[in-house]
Amino acid sequence: MIKILINFCLIFLSISMFSQPLAAKIFLIDQTDFNGYADILKNGKIEFRIEFDEEPTIFDEFDLRRIEFKESNDIFEYVLVENKSLLLKVVSESDVTVYAKYPESFSTQKTERELAKEDYINREYAYNGGYKVKWRDGNTYNFYDNPLKSGETVFFIKRKNDNSVRNIKNGFRKKAISFFNDCPYLVEIIENREWKYQDMPKIVVYYNEMCSL
């Protein structure tokens, strides 16, 4: 009985720790910004409070443009995708920004393993379609999901002055060559299939470092 109570307390404690709002900064559509504490809810809305112990306010795409979490440096934005606003994760941003949408909820109440699964830049892919990530907690996590199978990660890219993002998953090689045609060496890498769709974050980082003006 004592062992059951101890296990229950440990589970409750881990859930309680997980449910704490995180230090964050929000950027509203009207150009104002606020520091406080936030959670991303499973429905893609943002729960935000300025003081840790006050009642939260719920924000969505009609109020909020961007949220930055201070400890993890994770950034999310409401982005226009085919005339619909979606909350997407900013993977890398500069002259070209790459966003990610994946099946898992963007909810901030996740384990380190769940967060490592969503690290797109540091993935090392395996021959079987899985991948591993060396994560910030010092552990290496192995995942056996194929990131290209139906329903998995979708990347969106956008140039700085564009109003909406592009999804170039279908017909990736042809569309990527066209999009990055001002970077000849990158085009050659894509033509030779050295980098494929799942390497989109690396492609964008390379472009921004080597080819953008």
Side-chain angles (χ1 to χ4, degrees), residues 3-213:
K3 186 178 287 187
I4 293 173
L5 286 172
I6 291 172
N7 288 336
F8 176 80
C9 290
L10 288 172
I11 292 170
F12 179 79
L13 179 61
S14 66
I15 292 173
S16 297
M17 290 173 63
F18 238 12
S19 301
Q20 300 297 326
L22 305 176
K25 185 174 185 178
I26 61 170
F27 300 79
L28 302 183
I29 290 177
D30 66 6
Q31 306 301 315
T32 57
D33 56 77
F34 299 92
N35 289 296
Y37 300 89
D39 269 323
I40 298 179
L41 306 180
K42 290 184 178 180
N43 60 6
K45 295 183 179 182
I46 308 295
E47 196 175 68
F48 180 79
R49 65 204 80 192
I50 292 178
E51 298 297 333
F52 188 84
D53 56 355
E54 70 181 17
E55 284 297 311
T57 300
I58 305 296
F59 292 99
D60 57 21
E61 69 271 22
F62 299 107
D63 314 293
L64 190 143
R65 179 176 61 85
R66 176 184 175 102
I67 181 168
E68 300 177 357
F69 288 97
K70 296 184 177 181
E71 184 175 341
S72 64
N73 294 318
D74 287 335
I75 300 171
F76 299 85
E77 286 186 353
Y78 285 108
V79 179
L80 192 62
V81 181
E82 296 179 352
N83 298 317
K84 181 180 180 181
S85 187
L86 296 179
L87 185 67
L88 301 179
K89 183 172 184 177
V90 178
V91 180
S92 179
E93 62 180 340
S94 186
D95 288 343
V96 173
T97 296
V98 56
Y99 301 89
K101 179 180 182 296
Y102 40 86
E104 299 88 352
S105 166
F106 281 141
S107 171
T108 51
Q109 301 172 358
K110 296 181 179 180
T111 65
E112 291 296 313
R113 178 181 175 83
E114 289 172 324
L115 292 170
K117 187 174 184 179
E118 298 158 10
D119 183 342
Y120 300 104
I121 292 178
N122 296 310
R123 286 181 174 184
E124 297 180 23
Y125 291 95
Y127 68 91
N128 63 355
Y131 59 94
K132 64 181 180 180
V133 175
K134 295 179 181 178
W135 188 234
R136 65 191 180 196
D137 62 359
N139 294 320
T140 297
Y141 296 99
N142 291 288
F143 304 99
Y144 300 99
D145 312 64
N146 185 329
L148 289 182
K149 71 183 181 182
S150 176
E152 288 292 341
T153 306
V154 178
F155 295 112
F156 298 86
I157 52 178
K158 180 175 78 70
R159 295 192 184 276
K160 185 176 290 185
N161 296 322
D162 289 347
N163 293 323
S164 60
V165 298
R166 303 187 195 185
N167 173 5
I168 61 172
K169 184 173 183 178
N170 295 325
F172 161 72
R173 195 157 64 98
K174 183 177 180 181
K175 291 178 180 177
I177 289 171
S178 175
F179 189 90
F180 299 106
N181 64 1
D182 57 340
C183 188
Y185 185 66
L186 179 58
V187 167
E188 184 179 331
I189 292 173
I190 297 170
E191 283 181 332
N192 294 335
R193 302 177 191 274
E194 294 176 46
W195 281 346
K196 300 179 181 179
Y197 178 75
Q198 67 264 37
D199 298 303
M200 182 63 75
K202 296 178 183 178
I203 291 171
V204 171
V205 168
Y206 179 91
Y207 177 86
N208 286 328
E209 291 179 351
M210 305 300 293
C211 303
S212 62
L213 298 177

